[in-house]
Amino acid sequence: MEIGRQRAVDVATQAFRAHGITAPDAVQTAEVLVSADARGKHSHGLLRLPRFVRGIEHGNVDPDGTIAVASERGGAATISGGSRLGPAVASTATAEAMDRAENHGVGAVGVRDSNHLGMLGYYTDQLQQAGYVGIAMTNTEPAMPPYGGAEPVLGTNPIAIGLPTDPVFNLDMSTSAIARGTVFQEQETGGELPEGVALDADGQPTTDPAAALDGTMLPFGGPKGSGLAVAVEVLAGGLVGASMGEAVTGTYHTEDPCTKGDLFLAIDPDALGVSDFADRASSFLTTLTNGAPAAHADEIRLPGQRSVERDRNATTVTVADDLWAEAQALATDD
């Protein structure tokens, strides 16, 4: 069903408020979830609202936690999120990265003691709209083996890159062949997975979302996706003082405390002596999209181009009937 965008934000906000979350954190988290639905990324939209609420009910979110700089030097800092809702902490970290980039040319901000932050590309879009090159990454609880391994010790570990260009470039991808959130969405909606993206608990290929969630995702591109997932695990986890590998909990099973980490980078092109970067990069991207499409394609599109533009213009979002009913029920909980 189609819901007015502001109505969706208001109901999600009320659901968080009904479960003890402060008004600013409730609004920020609702905005991130609805933004995902506006982009068509429903796996990270209101579908996540019940899971967020369960995390609050299990005591893994501290509505009154303090977000504070734990360490800093020049353009680099690490923030302790005080176990607040992930989108509130991530938004603070994004703003901190921009502040440090303004003063130092580059801002690198790590995050620990936070919670699931929602759609990672939301934050790189904020960075690119402010004129920065934005890079963000986060590690997640184990769902994927390293290339050549059998046990899930790596997260699906997304990475996002945004450029201050017109047309939009906002890459937001997991390092698995399919995002765990997408698998969860297919399970909730009765769908099936493509071939070759997941294994069941016995290590056999599966297209059943429930079996995949009990088993493992596979890295995209074999050793390439695996290598990138390892890098994100160490940079978003170890570099910021958060957990890595099997010690990461709470990003999917929200009844457990969240121990993952995040890393946000804001780069000011002017600091590299390239004052016309945005114009030159925009011209290059326009040339790419104006090229002749392949026989199997109607057009050439950039990562995030269509979805971000939808988000910026959307006045309504599509929400499944039963999910909307559940969201409204959560909004009226005592």
Side-chain angles (χ1 to χ4, degrees):
M1 62 190 303
E2 289 291 314
I3 305 294
R5 180 174 186 150
Q6 190 56 53
R7 172 65 176 155
V9 170
D10 289 345
V11 167
T13 298
Q14 291 165 15
F16 288 121
R17 295 287 286 139
H19 291 83
I21 301 301
T22 64
D25 286 12
V27 171
Q28 180 63 68
T29 304
E31 291 278 5
V32 171
L33 295 181
V34 174
S35 176
D37 279 322
R39 295 186 192 192
K41 296 181 178 293
H42 300 296
S43 62
H44 285 69
L46 289 178
L47 183 68
R48 295 272 178 153
L49 178 60
R51 194 169 289 272
F52 270 77
V53 169
R54 285 198 293 275
I56 298 167
E57 292 174 338
H58 280 103
N60 294 319
V61 175
D62 183 355
D64 300 314
T66 299
I67 302 173
V69 174
S71 62
E72 61 181 324
R73 184 193 298 176
T78 297
I79 285 177
S80 172
S83 296
R84 295 256 290 275
L85 279 176
V89 181
S91 295
T92 299
T94 301
E96 183 74 23
M98 287 191 280
D99 287 345
R100 290 180 183 268
E102 183 176 358
N103 292 322
H104 301 281
V106 176
V109 177
V111 174
R112 58 177 180 256
D113 304 319
S114 182
N115 281 283
H116 180 65
L117 51 70
M119 177 179 61
L120 192 62
Y122 177 90
Y123 308 100
T124 49
D125 188 33
Q126 301 301 301
L127 290 164
Q128 68 188 16
Q129 288 193 71
Y132 297 102
V133 173
I135 303 173
M137 60 191 79
T138 184
N139 66 335
T140 68
E141 62 188 270
M144 187 170 73
Y147 183 72
E151 298 297 323
V153 295
L154 296 172
T156 55
N157 295 358
I159 182 169
I161 301 172
L163 303 177
T165 56
D166 182 11
V168 168
F169 181 101
N170 194 47
L171 174 70
D172 181 1
M173 56 171 277
S174 69
T175 52
S176 55
I178 189 170
R180 193 170 195 169
T182 302
V183 179
F184 172 60
Q185 179 187 2
E186 294 298 335
Q187 180 191 37
E188 293 291 299
T189 58
E192 286 193 346
L193 306 181
E195 297 278 356
V197 300
L199 305 177
D200 64 19
D202 296 321
Q204 297 300 313
T206 184
T207 60
D208 179 2
L213 290 171
D214 288 337
T216 62
M217 311 299 109
L218 293 174
F220 83 87
K224 296 179 181 180
S226 176
L228 187 55
V230 173
V232 172
E233 193 78 52
V234 175
L235 293 174
L239 186 62
V240 308
S243 294
M244 294 180 286
E246 293 178 312
V248 179
T249 59
T251 61
Y252 178 73
H253 296 95
T254 52
E255 63 270 19
D256 299 322
C258 191
T259 61
K260 57 88 178 180
D262 314 312
L263 182 62
F264 300 90
L265 296 139
I267 303 171
D268 183 352
D270 289 348
L272 297 176
V274 189
S275 59
D276 63 344
F277 168 75
D279 290 338
R280 292 177 62 227
S282 296
S283 178
F284 171 69
L285 295 179
T286 299
T287 299
L288 288 183
T289 56
N290 286 342
H296 66 276
D298 295 327
E299 60 180 330
I300 298 171
R301 294 201 304 270
L302 301 170
Q305 181 179 9
R306 186 73 61 84
S307 62
V308 170
E309 289 173 351
R310 276 200 305 266
D311 185 9
R312 293 177 182 176
N313 296 313
T315 58
T316 64
V317 293
T318 302
V319 183
D321 292 5
D322 56 347
L323 176 59
W324 182 242
E326 185 174 9
Q328 291 179 298
L330 291 171
T332 56
D333 281 356
D334 293 329

